[in-house]
Amino acid sequence: DTGVSQDPRHKITKRGQNVTFRCDPISEHNRLYWYRQTLGQGPEFLTYFQNEAQLEKSRLLSDRFSAERPKGSFSTLEIQRTEQGDSAMYLCASGSLNTEAFFGQGTRLTVV
Amino acid sequence: QQQVKQSPQSLIVQKGGISIINCAYENTAFDYFPWYQQFPGKGPALLIAIRPDVSEKKEGRFTISFNKSAKQFSLHIMDSQPGDSATYFCAASPSYKLIFGSGTRLLVRP
């Protein structure tokens, strides 16, 4: 296990289409986070899972966004009816109670 | 109250010099203050972190100074190298999630 893995690394989609991103955390980590980062800004918290339970959702996560973590392993983030304002880097991170958050390399979404 | 304010936005330092980045916060519930380094096209990587029960932490060329009463903390990079050129983010956490500053783009000239 070499770290947090995200797929795809890049996604270009047309406005109005749905997209889904996948995150595979470090295997022993029970905490999983999604963040969004726009150009020139710091990452912004979107949502947090502890095992399979989604414990917090940011107000940034509109109802077009949904995240899941079935069986407490990998996670998916889906964006429905994408808008140009959704263009950003979507970062996944994992951790546990006694470790810091380790980030993946992100999925860069471009909505055209 | 959830914000973390970071300055400067960009910084140019000569090789061998000291790079200093500052952050300030409002929420006294924050109890974990990490610094992340990010290279273009990569995710942020933890550099060093501190908890408010200590005023300074040093790891190699990187030092965090923490002033609890002023609600400020800073990153010092000693003997800055061209390979340190990256974007640096401070963050603060009240429990599990991180609240990030807006970042400082550091350029170390050879």
Side-chain angles (χ1 to χ4, degrees), chain A residues 9 35 37 56 100 105, chain B residues 38 41-42 46 96-98:
Chain A
R9 293 290 313 280
Y35 288 81
Q37 185 177 25
E56 184 174 349
E100 69 273 17
Q105 299 212 55
Chain B
Q38 187 176 32
K42 304 289 187 184
L46 179 69
Y96 48 80
K97 69 183 177 187
L98 295 167

Side-chain angles (χ1 to χ4, degrees), chain A residues 46-64:
Chain A
L46 292 179
T47 191
Y48 162 63
F49 289 86
Q50 186 166 310
N51 300 310
E52 66 275 12
Q54 188 174 21
L55 297 186
E56 184 174 349
K57 289 171 60 173
S58 163
R59 280 171 287 184
L60 292 174
L61 217 63
S62 76
D63 52 11
R64 294 185 299 107

Side-chain angles (χ1 to χ4, degrees), chain B residues 11 21 37-40 82-88 104-108:
Chain B
L11 183 60
I21 305 170
Q37 179 188 57
Q38 187 176 32
F39 293 102
D84 296 331
S85 297
T87 300
Y88 291 81
T104 296
R105 182 174 283 185
L106 172 65
L107 176 63
V108 181

Side-chain angles (χ1 to χ4, degrees), chain A residues 33 35 43-45 93 100-101 103, chain B residues 32-34 36 91-100:
Chain A
Y33 314 82
Y35 288 81
E44 295 174 294
F45 171 79
E100 69 273 17
F103 282 82
Chain B
Y32 175 66
F33 301 88
Y36 281 82
S93 178
S95 57
Y96 48 80
K97 69 183 177 187
L98 295 167
I99 312 298
F100 283 86

Side-chain angles (χ1 to χ4, degrees), chain A residues 14-99:
Chain A
K14 291 184 178 179
R15 191 172 48 189
Q17 297 293 304
N18 299 344
V19 294
T20 300
F21 311 140
R22 179 182 170 117
C23 171
D24 287 274
I26 295 171
S27 57
E28 59 266 30
H29 288 174
N30 64 342
R31 296 181 172 189
L32 188 144
Y33 314 82
W34 285 98
Y35 288 81
R36 180 172 68 189
Q37 185 177 25
T38 54
L39 207 61
Q41 298 298 315
E44 295 174 294
F45 171 79
L46 292 179
T47 191
Y48 162 63
F49 289 86
Q50 186 166 310
N51 300 310
E52 66 275 12
Q54 188 174 21
L55 297 186
E56 184 174 349
K57 289 171 60 173
S58 163
R59 280 171 287 184
L60 292 174
L61 217 63
S62 76
D63 52 11
R64 294 185 299 107
F65 289 70
S66 62
E68 293 182 344
R69 192 182 182 199
K71 302 177 185 176
S73 55
F74 71 92
S75 176
T76 58
L77 178 67
E78 181 184 15
I79 309 175
Q80 296 184 326
R81 305 181 303 282
T82 51
E83 301 173 355
Q84 285 191 319
D86 298 331
S87 295
M89 174 82 86
Y90 290 84
L91 293 162
C92 176
S94 72
S96 62
L97 181 62
N98 298 314
T99 70

